[in-house]
Structure formats: C-alpha cells, structure tokens
Amino acid sequence: MCGILAVLGCSDDSLAKRVRVLELSRRQFIFLNPSLSSLSLSLSSMFPYPIKTLKHRGPDWSGLHQHGDCFLSHQRLAIVDPASGDQPLFNEDKSIVVTVNGEIYNHEDLRKHLSNHKFRTGSDCEVITHLYEEYGENFVDMLDGVFTFVLLDTRDNSFMVARDAIGVNSLYIGWGLDGSIWISSELKGLNDECEHFESFPPGHLYSSKQAGLRQWYNPPWFSEVVPSTPYDPLALRHAFERAVIKRLMTDVPFGVLLSGGLDSSLVASITARHLARTKAARQWGAQLHSFCVGLEGSPDLKAAKEVADYLGTVHHEFHFTVQDGIDAIEEVIYHVETYDVTTIRASTPMFLMARKIKSLGVKMVISGEGSDEIFGGYLYFHKAPNKEELHRETCRKIKALHQYDCLRANKSSFAWGLEARVPFLDKEFINIAMDIDPQYKMIKREEGRIEKWVLRKAFDDEEHPYLPKHILYRQKEQFSDGVGYSWIDGLKAHTAQHVTEKMMVNAARIFPHNTPTTKEAYHYRTIFERFFPQNSARLSVPGGASVACSTAKAIEWDASWSNNLDPSGRAALGVHLSAYDRQVSSVSPGIPAIINNVPLNMEVNHPGVAIRS
C-alpha cells in the first residue's frame, strides 16, 4: 500500500502549484531532539526543517499526474508487482487516471471479466480504471480488499473518491478557499492548505458529478438489527481461513505480528498451515517469520515465544524500555495524528516494532485487529446485560474502528514503510460473523464460555489442533497492557511529573473540545496541538468516557465503572486477572498509588476517550 494526495479543481494550475503538491507528498521531517516537547518551538518555527508528510508511506517510488487544474500524487510502497506497478495508473488511452492506496485481493478474478481490456501492469490496483470504464461509479462493491483511491476521468474532468468498507486505510478530505477539494492519506497533507478538513467516512464514495458523498457499503449488520442465524463453527473457521489466505498475496518478504493472544496466534497458525502452497513461499521460502514486542518479562513475550515454538516460525523478539517508549511519544503522535490516550499507548510499541521489522527487509505483516469488536472480546463485555445490547455494542465498535485500531495499525506501521494487513476485517468474514445470533457471543462463565467463545470453539480441533489449549483459551489482553503492565503505569508516572495541578484546573478553558481529564491525556493533547493546531484537526479525534475500551454507552452496564474510567483492560474490575486495585481510584490527591512497583497518579479518573479498542 501507499500514500496518496490529490488536489482537484484548484484555481492555480501553474508549475509552482505542481512543485507545491510534490513538496507536500515527498518532503521529510527531522526530529532534532527526543525531548522536543520541552522546547518552546511552535510548528511554524519548525518549518525550516524538512517535514515528512507522506513519503514515509511509500518510499519506493513517487508519481504525479497533472491534468489541467487536477493533481494526482502517489508515494508507493511496492508489495505486488514491484517492477511495473508504479502509479498513478491509467486505462488504455490514458483518459482515466487513478491513484490508489490499497490491495485488491480479487484482482485476478476481476481481470478475467475484463478480457476486452488491455492491462499495462501486473498491479492489483489497475483493475479500478477498467472497472470504471465498464460500470461507471457503480463498481466499488465489486472490490474485495482494502483501499482508498482518487479516480479522474479526463474526458469530462469529473472525479470520484472512495474508501474501503471499514476504513482500514486512512483517508481525509479537505476544502480550499479557492473551491478546490483535497484528498490525502494523512492529515499532514491537508493541514496547511485547507480551510476545513475531516476524516473521509469508511464505506463511502464522493462523486463530483453528484457533488457529494454516498454510502456504497451497507450490510445487514449496519442497521444493528439483531440477527438470528445459528452458530456454525466450521462456516466461521473456513471464512476466516479464506480471509487469511487471500492476504498472502505478495511479491515481497512478509511475516506475522504475534502477541501470543488468541487473534494474532490464529492468524499465525493459519498462515503457517497454508504458506507452503503460495507464490510467496516459492519466492521467499516456506518458513514463516513472526514478530513480537514487549518490555522485559511481559505477558506477550512469553506467550508469543510459546506459540512460535509450537508453530515452528522464525521468531523475532524485540524488547523496549519504558524510557524508549516515552522518548518516541512525540513521533508517535505526529505519525498517528491523534490525542486519544489508548491509541497512543498501543501505537508506541507498534511504532517501535515496525521500525525493527522494516530494518530486517520485511515490507508487509499480517495482524489481528478487529476480532474483539466483532466477537465482543473486550473484558467489559462480561457485563453485557443481554444479547441485544451486546450486538449493538459490537456494531458501534466496528463502525468506529477507523478512528482507533485501524488508524493505529495503519499509521504506526506506515511510519516506517511497513504494511499491516488485517484479515478479521475481511468483508465476507465480517458478514458471516455478524450474522451469528449474538446469544452465542454472550459470556457465560458458569458454562465455560469466556470472551470470544465462538471464535475459540471454531478453531478447537482435537485432531489437528491449531494452537495449544491454554493459548486458545487465554484471557483477553489489550495490546497496550500485554506489552507489559508497567508501560501504562510508567506513562502515567511520567506525565504526572510534567503536568501540574494548575494546568489541569485550566484544562477546560484551554481545550474546550474533548477536554483532557487526566494528566496523561493533557500531555498528549499539548503535543498534538503543536503539530496540528487547526480546529479541524482537533475535531477529527473522537472523545467520551470509556472503561476497558468500551463505548460511552456500555458504561451503563455496571454502575461501579463510572468511578473507574480508564481504557486499560485492567479497569474491568472483577474480570481481569490483574485488575487495578478496587480502591485505587479513591487515593487522596497528591498521594501516588503503587502498581507493579511503579508510581501511578490517580488524581483524576476520567481519561476522556471513547470506543477504544
């Protein structure tokens, strides 16, 4: 996948504008000091230094096509057809131009139905130009994959923009004072050029012919009507295996992210089973590489090593310290473009790991995001009062993924030119999983049904086991917790030293929108505002109360949660095996609590985040 930037209908079609678009797409940012937040530098004062906008997303090639007042720019990370798939891409007579960030997994099947068309490359994305020729704008639902793209029809100077169903790939839309429309993979491409910008909604397309957005993805679960289809474990298993197998489409070295939890372990197990029969194995060998990150002695490192040994992968274990993570926070916020607390907590280890993985020559990894949203895997789902509430909460969680886990996985890996693929968010698999009667997803500990029981049961094969039993039934551990409990505790202690009580008193006046209510949240917000001072930027980040990654609505499930609002899984009191002390929230102001021998400031309980995953 890649990075895209398009300027459509601008008033200036001069060479200077072309140079500006190239600059926005290609320039690099240099962080001079890991403690930059302590320096009194404004964003404008940093501009003399090169700024990394989109080049990090696609270091392999840059392309720019101009047609009159429209510019389509592309930064390529070459995964499929590295030799000839440079973008922008064209149809036969070059009247249709497209810049794409994505992977189209069914492109070979689609090519068979486009036999009357001449293809110039082996790129999976080239089918988009020819599908448009055949079907106009009504082809997007035919694409099986993840994508964002801008297509320009030079015959009438019309254009369309589309984003994949769930929003796996990041995309933003902005408007200039001159009437231009800007499209970018990241906020960085827009925040200096547009009067207003916002996240481009998943499952939508924008048509210049209709001058507006319309929803192209509208599956049955989207309406939140409670389904009644009986649970079929084999149907679920086979659907997920298909989702993983199609993501083995690659012409470059790849691996799997392996935390040792259920989701990543299943991804690794299925990949290891099917890798030998793929083109990737013929090119790069049939032994799978796996990657894990954590603090020394963390739960994930231990579990991942056990799974790797069981599956026979070439396992790479990366260690980081709390200080390593703290030193990276500035860069993480710049790249991930959020001030959401748990997104930053979880993005930092992934950001550090992605850099290590890319240094090994790997350009693509397969990851386990999305399972908890689909199956009610977060620990707060233990308190779901009934199947109707559980189902509606899973629907809310999936719809919000593009603001949280998809954003984290996409941007923290692409910061280093590494692509992360997420089979749990496969369109076909989601439709099957969300059509299951949610009574089967209800957690019933008295019956031995823990969180994500339907997924665990689907892969509980006694004859040909996918995983060791205790891994298959390991309790849910959020990524930011699993890398080591002292990571979050250390972050809280660090920010408590840098944010004063006086700052917190005035927080609502300084940050009236999504006011930070903990010192940790305040610290992240100040960094974010320095990089992205525009009102549109702060409005692009969601807010609200959360406990253990819940939506604000789900807090109603347990009255005690309102006094223990923290997005960590350990906030699920009475559920998590290493939950926070039930009394910790009542510690007097100024007296630090101690968890895992790390000072933990609990003076304010509410981190001001929502729908975290």
Side-chain angles (χ1 to χ4, degrees), residues 127-160:
V127 295
I128 292 174
T129 62
H130 303 294
L131 287 170
Y132 176 81
E133 287 184 288
E134 289 289 330
Y135 303 101
E137 295 177 345
N138 300 314
F139 69 88
V140 181
D141 197 36
M142 300 170 65
L143 302 174
D144 183 5
V146 293
F147 52 82
T148 59
F149 67 81
V150 180
L151 183 147
L152 175 65
D153 187 340
T154 65
R155 297 170 298 186
D156 59 6
N157 219 39
S158 64
F159 62 88
M160 66 175 293

Side-chain angles (χ1 to χ4, degrees), residues 362-384:
V362 173
K363 297 175 73 173
M364 185 272 283
V365 291
I366 308 178
S367 189
E369 280 77 14
S371 172
D372 294 309
E373 288 73 14
I374 295 168
F375 295 106
Y378 292 107
L379 297 184
Y380 74 89
F381 277 97
H382 280 250
K383 300 295 183 74

Side-chain angles (χ1 to χ4, degrees), residues 6 26 36 48 50 105 126 130 147 192 194 248 310 380 395 547-548 590:
R26 295 179 181 177
L36 193 58
Y105 300 120
E126 190 181 349
H130 303 294
F147 52 82
D192 299 320
C194 297
L248 303 182
Y310 180 83
Y380 74 89
C395 293
V547 61

Side-chain angles (χ1 to χ4, degrees), residues 382-410:
H382 280 250
K383 300 295 183 74
N386 52 59
K387 71 175 188 178
E388 291 81 10
E389 278 293 304
L390 182 144
H391 180 71
R392 284 191 284 268
E393 176 72 357
T394 59
C395 293
R396 291 191 292 264
K397 294 285 288 179
I398 297 171
K399 292 175 186 177
L401 266 169
H402 69 286
Q403 299 173 305
Y404 298 104
D405 276 23
C406 288
L407 180 144
R408 168 181 57 80
N410 184 273

Side-chain angles (χ1 to χ4, degrees), residues 179-212:
S180 58
I181 293 178
W182 292 62
I183 304 293
S184 177
S185 294
E186 298 187 2
L187 286 178
K188 302 170 193 63
L190 307 180
N191 63 349
D192 299 320
E193 307 295 327
C194 297
E195 186 68 13
H196 176 74
F197 51 86
E198 59 193 47
S199 177
F200 193 98
H204 281 71
L205 67 84
Y206 179 94
S207 168
S208 65
K209 295 176 181 177
Q210 299 179 359

Side-chain angles (χ1 to χ4, degrees), residues 260-528:
L262 173 68
D263 308 328
S264 66
S265 297
L266 284 177
V267 169
S269 178
I270 294 168
T271 303
R273 286 192 178 203
H274 295 278
L275 179 59
R277 297 189 290 275
T278 66
K279 177 184 174 182
R282 294 193 295 272
Q283 289 181 297
W284 306 107
Q287 191 165 22
L288 181 64
H289 287 251
S290 57
F291 308 96
C292 185
V293 67
L295 303 176
E296 194 77 47
S298 70
D300 280 2
L301 290 179
K302 178 181 177 182
K305 179 65 166 60
E306 184 176 358
V307 175
D309 290 343
Y310 180 83
L311 299 177
T313 68
V314 179
H315 191 57
H316 307 266
E317 189 175 281
F318 306 124
H319 296 179
F320 77 103
T321 66
V322 172
Q323 190 61 53
D324 291 332
I326 289 170
D327 289 343
I329 290 292
E330 293 251 346
E331 287 184 273
V332 169
I333 292 173
Y334 179 76
H335 279 288
V336 181
E337 303 177 322
T338 189
Y339 50 82
D340 174 67
V341 170
T342 303
T343 300
I344 295 167
R345 290 175 176 178
S347 293
T348 304
M350 194 169 188
F351 175 86
L352 296 172
M353 176 170 57
R355 186 176 192 178
K356 290 280 192 179
I357 293 172
K358 188 61 185 289
S359 73
L360 298 175
V362 173
K363 297 175 73 173
M364 185 272 283
V365 291
I366 308 178
S367 189
E369 280 77 14
S371 172
D372 294 309
E373 288 73 14
I374 295 168
F375 295 106
Y378 292 107
L379 297 184
Y380 74 89
F381 277 97
H382 280 250
K383 300 295 183 74
N386 52 59
K387 71 175 188 178
E388 291 81 10
E389 278 293 304
L390 182 144
H391 180 71
R392 284 191 284 268
E393 176 72 357
T394 59
C395 293
R396 291 191 292 264
K397 294 285 288 179
I398 297 171
K399 292 175 186 177
L401 266 169
H402 69 286
Q403 299 173 305
Y404 298 104
D405 276 23
C406 288
L407 180 144
R408 168 181 57 80
N410 184 273
K411 292 182 181 178
S412 59
S413 58
F414 265 113
W416 302 107
L418 179 71
E419 176 182 315
R421 296 182 179 177
V422 284
F424 278 108
L425 299 181
D426 179 84
K427 270 198 310 182
E428 178 200 4
F429 178 73
I430 291 176
N431 288 342
I432 290 174
M434 290 302 290
D435 195 43
I436 298 172
D437 188 327
Q439 68 172 314
Y440 297 99
K441 297 180 183 178
M442 289 289 288
I443 298 165
K444 298 181 179 180
R445 283 186 282 188
E446 69 279 4
E447 298 178 16
R449 283 167 49 174
I450 63 172
E451 65 276 357
K452 292 187 286 193
W453 175 82
V454 293
L455 181 63
R456 300 175 196 272
K457 186 66 176 176
F459 286 92
D460 193 349
D461 189 326
E462 296 286 350
E463 189 174 350
H464 303 288
Y466 286 79
L467 294 168
K469 278 278 198 206
H470 64 283
I471 294 293
L472 190 62
Y473 290 93
R474 180 190 177 197
Q475 185 182 64
K476 163 67 186 172
E477 195 75 86
Q478 288 168 213
F479 183 59
S480 54
D481 286 325
V483 297
Y485 297 149
S486 58
W487 166 233
I488 292 177
D489 300 340
L491 281 174
K492 290 181 176 181
H494 171 77
T495 55
Q497 295 172 359
H498 289 79
V499 178
T500 67
E501 290 300 322
K502 184 183 292 186
M503 293 177 182
M504 294 303 299
V505 168
N506 297 321
R509 292 177 176 85
I510 297 172
F511 305 116
H513 176 74
N514 283 347
T515 301
T517 54
T518 66
K519 292 183 176 182
E520 184 184 7
Y522 190 103
H523 182 64
Y524 300 157
R525 183 65 173 272
T526 57
I527 298 170
F528 177 89

Side-chain angles (χ1 to χ4, degrees), residues 485-486 489-490 493 570 593-600:
Y485 297 149
S486 58
D489 300 340
R570 288 182 291 155
I594 302 295
I595 293 181
N596 291 347
N597 298 315
V598 177
L600 172 61

